[in-house]
Amino acid sequence: MSIDKTTATSGTPEDHVVENPEAAKGSDVAVDPRLLVREQGLAGYVTEFKRKLKAGDLGSVPVVIGLAIIWIIFQSLNSNFLTAGNLSDISVAMVGTGMIAVGIVFVLLLGEIDLSVGSVSGVAGATFAVLSVTHGMTEWLAFVLAILTGTAAGAIHGFFFARVGVPAFAVTLAGLLFWQGFMLQILGSNGTINLDSDGLVAKLTSYYFTDVAAAYGLAIVATAGYFLAAFRENRRREAAGVPSRPLSEIIVRTALLAVVSFAVAIVYNQYKGLPLAVVLFLAVLLFTDFVLRRTAYGRKVFALGGSVEASRRAGINVELIRISVFAIAGTFAAIGGLFVASKIASANQGAGTGEFLMNVIAAAVIGGTSLFGGRGRTWNALLGVLVIVSIQYGLALEGIASPVQYMITGGVLLTTVVIDAVTRRTQRTAGRA
């Protein structure tokens, strides 16, 4: 039977749902029902949604819905929750945790865990404070050395895991204790070192682009950039003879992004302006997403999370990828630690301790990264940390004690993990995992 539709051989499921009649002329393959969606109009999209629901393939939709519910609940309890000031504060407060969660996403994609990132973040903040404040080193040099401290710590963990064969849980648990002790040692008996309020690290979270053109300009760049990237990707797919999105769908997606981007810009301009911390976080998310989805290295990370033995037989240097992933996690732990130090304008003995580690891991998992490896995106860190920090700020506005905050956050995390496990089992039943 000759058909005029075909499926793509690579990319996400969303990339495979558009028809491309010229690409498949004369081929004898089964028609993927996802390619028929747009021919059926609105009914086709409803059918596709039901198919994804049955297969456990809803992506970030549950998280977005959950975040909307959280905001509606807290706004109904306190009218100050959705004010420009509170939303701006939430977005800045989430960056430190979010940066570390980006590194955790890399580790989770391998199906592993890193329990040391909280302590490593504290070491980075302490290292910067000791070098720049106590010893008078140039801030930029101290900043770079603090980040490299995290890279080295992560690489050490990766070495023991990949080369020696010690389980990642045990290695990073030992790292948690060691680096926490190391942080206390270098901070000394005082335990707290205040940072220069006008210094490099302090400005990471205190600096705002006050000109309204900054926020609106970023919204325009984000919208135009998405459209151009999507349009270029379509042209590339058409040239390669694989399915691509129709122009109408790209326009709709771009319009939705424009609405969200300009709404956020309006909120920022009603307060202090566009926060530098948010700009840097978005830049990191764009870069890491590109690395994971568009480079050979990223494909190797996903492959390793799917099957170690298959990856080894495919010629992937398993040990090198594992070490590099833990080094990346350590690097982002250090970067996040500097943002945390910036937020409180000091490095102290409490950095990276308490519930901080659990919030970081919860942010990655709640955002949609699978604990079982092989599925997730760094953008999941943004969604997850936004949920975590929104809960914290909402409960704080209500004056609810920390123990209750811990229980609620734990309940949200458990719900997410249960959904992840059920989704994976559903996909396996549907033949997709």
Side-chain angles (χ1 to χ4, degrees):
M1 177 184 66
S2 177
I3 63 171
D4 60 355
K5 297 180 179 66
T6 186
T7 60
T9 58
S10 62
T12 61
E14 289 79 9
D15 295 329
H16 299 167
V17 297
V18 184
E19 64 182 52
N20 190 344
E22 299 300 323
K25 287 183 177 179
S27 61
D28 295 318
V29 295
V31 180
D32 189 331
R34 291 172 292 183
L35 300 180
L36 302 175
V37 170
R38 291 166 182 85
E39 290 184 352
Q40 302 171 4
L42 179 61
Y45 281 95
V46 173
T47 301
E48 175 68 2
F49 177 79
K50 291 180 179 179
R51 184 196 64 79
K52 287 186 175 183
L53 181 62
K54 184 177 180 180
D57 184 26
L58 292 180
S60 299
V61 173
V63 185
V64 174
I65 294 175
L67 180 63
I69 293 174
I70 289 171
W71 283 10
I72 291 172
I73 291 175
F74 283 128
Q75 177 64 16
S76 65
L77 294 175
N78 192 316
S79 59
N80 291 322
F81 183 78
L82 290 181
T83 59
N86 193 57
L87 291 177
S88 180
D89 289 342
I90 288 175
S91 67
V92 173
M94 75 180 186
V95 173
T97 304
M99 286 287 191
I100 306 175
V102 169
I104 286 293
V105 168
F106 277 80
V107 177
L108 290 178
L109 288 175
L110 295 183
E112 302 296 339
I113 194 67
D114 189 341
L115 301 177
S116 69
V117 289
S119 296
V120 172
S121 70
V123 168
T127 299
F128 174 84
V130 169
L131 292 177
S132 64
V133 179
T134 305
H135 297 290
M137 180 179 289
T138 303
E139 285 196 328
W140 275 107
L141 180 57
F143 185 86
V144 172
L145 291 177
I147 294 176
L148 291 179
T149 299
T151 305
I156 292 172
H157 301 154
F159 173 82
F160 280 101
F161 168 57
R163 296 296 296 273
V164 181
V166 182
F169 177 89
V171 171
T172 56
L173 179 59
L176 181 155
L177 299 173
F178 179 85
W179 298 117
Q180 185 172 340
F182 184 74
M183 176 187 66
L184 298 177
Q185 180 67 30
I186 63 176
L187 283 175
S189 57
N190 185 35
T192 300
I193 300 177
N194 294 323
L195 302 178
D196 181 4
S197 59
D198 294 322
L200 172 65
V201 168
K203 286 186 176 180
L204 289 176
T205 56
S206 64
Y207 186 83
Y208 291 77
F209 297 97
T210 55
D211 192 331
V212 296
Y216 291 130
L218 181 60
I220 292 173
V221 169
T223 303
Y226 173 80
F227 177 80
L228 292 176
F231 184 77
R232 182 180 179 183
E233 176 68 9
N234 262 23
R235 296 293 297 271
R236 186 183 68 83
R237 284 179 170 274
E238 290 173 357
V242 295
S244 58
R245 299 183 189 279
L247 181 61
S248 59
E249 181 174 339
I250 295 178
I251 293 175
V252 170
R253 288 171 175 262
T254 303
L256 290 175
L257 176 61
V259 170
V260 174
S261 299
F262 279 93
V264 173
I266 291 172
V267 170
Y268 284 144
N269 285 332
Q270 288 178 347
Y271 188 52
K272 296 180 180 180
L274 177 65
L276 172 64
V278 173
V279 175
L280 295 176
F281 188 34
L282 292 176
V284 165
L285 291 174
L286 283 171
F287 174 73
T288 52
D289 183 67
F290 175 82
V291 169
L292 282 177
R293 299 204 305 134
R294 302 296 182 183
T295 66
Y297 175 80
R299 289 190 289 271
K300 291 176 182 178
V301 172
F302 277 104
L304 198 56
S307 173
V308 175
E309 186 57 32
S311 299
R312 184 177 286 109
R313 292 182 179 182
I316 295 176
N317 190 330
V318 174
E319 292 181 354
L320 179 61
I321 297 298
R322 282 176 163 175
I323 293 174
S324 66
V325 164
F326 277 89
I328 289 172
T331 300
F332 280 109
I335 294 173
L338 292 172
F339 274 90
V340 172
S342 171
K343 186 65 178 174
I344 61 177
S346 67
N348 58 50
Q349 295 178 339
T353 61
E355 80 281 4
F356 187 72
L357 172 64
M358 292 301 102
N359 285 341
V360 169
I361 297 175
V365 176
I366 289 173
T369 303
S370 175
L371 280 170
F372 303 99
R375 190 179 80 244
R377 295 179 61 180
T378 51
W379 287 101
N380 297 147
L382 171 61
L383 290 173
V385 74
L386 193 53
V387 170
I388 294 292
V389 178
S390 295
I391 292 174
Q392 292 175 341
Y393 268 65
L395 294 176
L397 283 176
E398 293 302 303
I400 298 176
S402 295
V404 179
Q405 295 185 29
Y406 295 159
M407 289 187 287
I408 292 177
T409 304
V412 172
L413 176 58
L414 177 61
T415 301
T416 305
V417 175
V418 169
I419 292 174
D420 182 30
V422 172
T423 297
R424 192 172 184 85
R425 186 168 62 241
T426 302
Q427 290 179 340
R428 188 180 297 112
T429 302
R432 300 192 61 237

